Amino acid sequence: MKTDILLFSVLLLAGCSQNLPDKGLRMVVGTYTDSGSHGLYSYIFNEETADFHLLDSCKIVNPSYLTFSSDNKYIYSVSETNDENASVFSLSFDYESGKLDILNSQPTEGTDPCYIATNGKVVVTANYGGSMSVFPLGPDGTIAPISQLFYGSIGGPDSIRQNTPHVHCAEFSVDGSQLYATDFSADRLLVFNIDEEGGKVEPLVTDSPHQLAIELDPDNGPRHIVFDKNGEHAYVVGELSGKITVLDKKGENFIVSQIVDGDPSKGRGSADIHITPDGRFLYASNRLVNDGISIFKINQASGNLESVGYQKTGIHPRNFAITPNGKYLLCACRDSDEIQIFKIDSQTGLLSATGHRINLPHPVCVKFAP
C-alpha cells in the first residue's frame, strides 16, 4: 500500500504540466502493470494548450484497453492476463473529479482480453487467446456474467504467429446494427448482427453453414478496425503485413476497395488506427522496427488513402488517440514509459512534437471521455 501511495504521489508531481489547465477534457489511460504502474489513471487534458493534470488512479492488473459509456458515468476495462484471472471490469467515473471506483468484474472465459467495446446494452471483449466474450449490462452500469462466447479460427500462412486463433478487436458499426471482429489468425473479419434491443449478438450467416466473413489478403493478421463517421468506409490495419485495407459499404456488406502499405519497414508489428474528427486524415501506428505512425490523406469522394508522411515516435507505440477538436495526437509508447503529445497540422495532417509528454510506466491505451 505504501508503495502504491508513493508511486501515485511521484506521478502527481512529476507527470503534470507546470501550467495547470483550468478546463479541459477528461482522459483515462490504461497501462501494463508489470513495471510498477498502478493500473488506470484519469487526467484533465486541455485540448487547446496540451496542458494536463493527473486526477486519480485505480488499481487493476493490466487494464490494457478501456471504453466509456456514452453518458460518461461508467468505464469498462479489460484485465489482460493469460490465465483464469482474465476479466472485464466496470467502474463508476465522476466526470468533474475524475474519480474512479470499481463496481464489479466478471471473468471473460477467454485469455488475454485486449479490446473492449460497448453499445450501452452489452460489453464485448476481444480475447487474444482466441475468442470474443459478450456480457449484458445492468441499469446501474454493472456487468452481468458472460452470456455468449464466440471463437476465432486459424488458416493464415504464418506458422508461428497464426498457429492458434486470436481475436484482436471487436467494434460496433456506426449504426449499431452489426459487430465486426478481427479474426487475426484466419486473415478475415467476422460479421455479427445485433438484435433490435441491442442485447444479443448473432453470427451473420450466408446460405452455407459458415459464418459470413470478409476475407483479407493472406498473412494480413488483422488487428484493429475503424469506421468513417458515416459508416460508408472501414479501414483495417494488418499487424503482420503492415497493410491497411480499405472497405466500401455495398448494400449490407463491405467489400475491399484498396490496399495500401502502412509499414514500409515491414516490422510485422502494426498496431492501432484512427481517423481525425473531420474525416480528412488517417493514422496507423507501427512497432518493432522504425517505431512510428503512418499518415494518410482520405479522399473524401472515394474513401481511398494517399500516403503523406511518417512520424517517428518513442518505443512501441501500441495505441494512440486524437483529441475531439483534431488538434493533438497522443501516442502511448509502452517501452518508452511515456505518452508523447504531437500537434496535427490541419492542412497537411503531418505531426510535430510539442515537447509535452506524460511520464507513466508502460502506457498502452489512451481514451477521451465522449
Side-chain angles (χ1 to χ4, degrees):
M1 177 62 73
K2 290 183 179 179
T3 301
D4 292 335
I5 293 173
L6 177 61
L7 172 63
F8 183 76
S9 299
V10 170
L11 288 169
L12 183 61
L13 293 172
C16 306
S17 170
Q18 295 298 314
N19 299 316
L20 176 65
D22 57 1
K23 61 179 180 178
L25 305 169
R26 299 305 185 268
M27 178 179 79
V28 175
V29 177
T31 64
Y32 280 127
T33 54
D34 56 350
S35 62
S37 168
H38 200 63
L40 290 175
Y41 296 84
S42 69
Y43 292 83
I44 185 170
F45 184 87
N46 190 311
E47 64 177 336
E48 297 298 333
T49 65
D51 289 331
F52 57 89
H53 182 70
L54 181 63
L55 298 174
D56 195 20
S57 73
C58 184
K59 190 173 184 179
I60 294 176
V61 175
N62 293 342
S64 63
Y65 211 84
L66 64 105
T67 190
F68 286 86
S69 63
S70 60
D71 60 7
N72 293 326
K73 291 182 178 180
Y74 307 106
I75 289 173
Y76 305 105
S77 171
V78 301
S79 177
E80 185 181 346
T81 66
N82 61 358
D83 54 24
E84 67 276 3
N85 295 315
S87 303
V88 58
F89 278 78
S90 171
L91 301 94
S92 64
F93 179 64
D94 184 276
Y95 187 87
E96 291 303 317
S97 68
K99 185 171 175 54
L100 303 162
D101 288 300
I102 294 174
L103 295 177
N104 80 321
S105 67
Q106 297 288 350
T108 54
E109 297 187 13
T111 58
D112 289 318
C114 57
Y115 198 96
I116 189 166
T118 184
N119 63 357
K121 299 293 185 180
V122 296
V123 161
V124 177
T125 66
N127 310 314
Y128 192 68
S131 61
M132 185 182 79
S133 307
V134 182
F135 306 84
L137 284 175
D140 58 354
T142 57
I143 302 172
I146 187 171
S147 60
Q148 296 174 283
L149 186 65
F150 301 96
Y151 294 95
S153 301
I154 60 173
D158 191 318
S159 61
I160 297 175
R161 296 178 64 180
Q162 293 181 309
N163 64 341
T164 60
H166 301 298
V167 180
H168 218 305
C169 169
E171 192 65 61
F172 291 94
S173 62
V174 172
D175 64 7
S177 65
Q178 292 183 323
L179 181 74
Y180 293 81
T182 55
D183 198 6
F184 178 96
S185 294
D187 294 322
R188 63 181 186 171
L189 301 180
L190 299 178
V191 187
F192 301 84
N193 275 339
I194 308 298
D195 68 11
E196 291 185 1
E197 287 73 34
K200 197 170 181 62
V201 176
E202 294 292 352
L204 186 59
V205 296
T206 60
D207 293 335
S208 75
H210 300 100
Q211 179 176 347
L212 178 65
I214 300 171
E215 303 294 337
L216 304 175
D217 53 311
D219 200 38
N220 183 289
R223 181 178 171 101
H224 282 188
I225 181 172
V226 66
F227 299 95
D228 69 359
K229 59 185 177 181
N230 297 319
E232 294 300 316
H233 306 284
Y235 303 86
V236 183
V237 60
E239 179 171 345
L240 300 180
S241 68
K243 295 177 181 178
I244 298 170
T245 303
V246 182
L247 303 170
D248 291 350
K249 192 70 177 291
K250 299 295 183 183
E252 297 297 317
N253 301 319
F254 280 101
I255 62 170
V256 175
S257 67
Q258 185 191 28
I259 300 174
V260 298
D261 191 359
D263 182 15
S265 299
K266 311 301 181 187
R268 296 181 74 76
S270 298
D272 204 11
I273 186 167
H274 293 287
I275 297 172
T276 52
D278 63 8
R280 297 180 60 216
F281 301 102
L282 179 144
Y283 302 85
S285 64
N286 301 302
R287 308 161 296 167
L288 306 184
V289 177
N290 194 29
D291 293 332
I293 295 176
S294 290
I295 306 166
F296 296 89
K297 182 178 181 180
I298 301 176
N299 183 302
Q300 298 301 292
S302 67
N304 283 351
L305 301 177
E306 175 190 353
S307 177
V308 296
Y310 194 89
Q311 175 65 50
K312 289 190 175 183
T313 66
I315 305 171
H316 207 93
R318 189 175 187 269
N319 168 261
F320 62 93
I322 300 169
T323 54
N325 66 357
K327 190 172 182 178
Y328 295 105
L329 184 150
L330 282 72
C331 183
C333 301
R334 187 192 70 183
D335 294 350
S336 294
D337 295 326
E338 64 182 1
I339 299 172
Q340 295 179 325
I341 302 174
F342 295 95
K343 188 172 183 180
I344 299 174
D345 187 305
S346 62
Q347 299 302 311
T348 66
L350 297 177
L351 303 176
S352 59
T354 64
H356 291 257
R357 59 192 64 216
I358 301 173
N359 299 310
L360 198 62
H362 282 188
V364 288
C365 183
V366 180
K367 289 285 186 175
F368 292 106

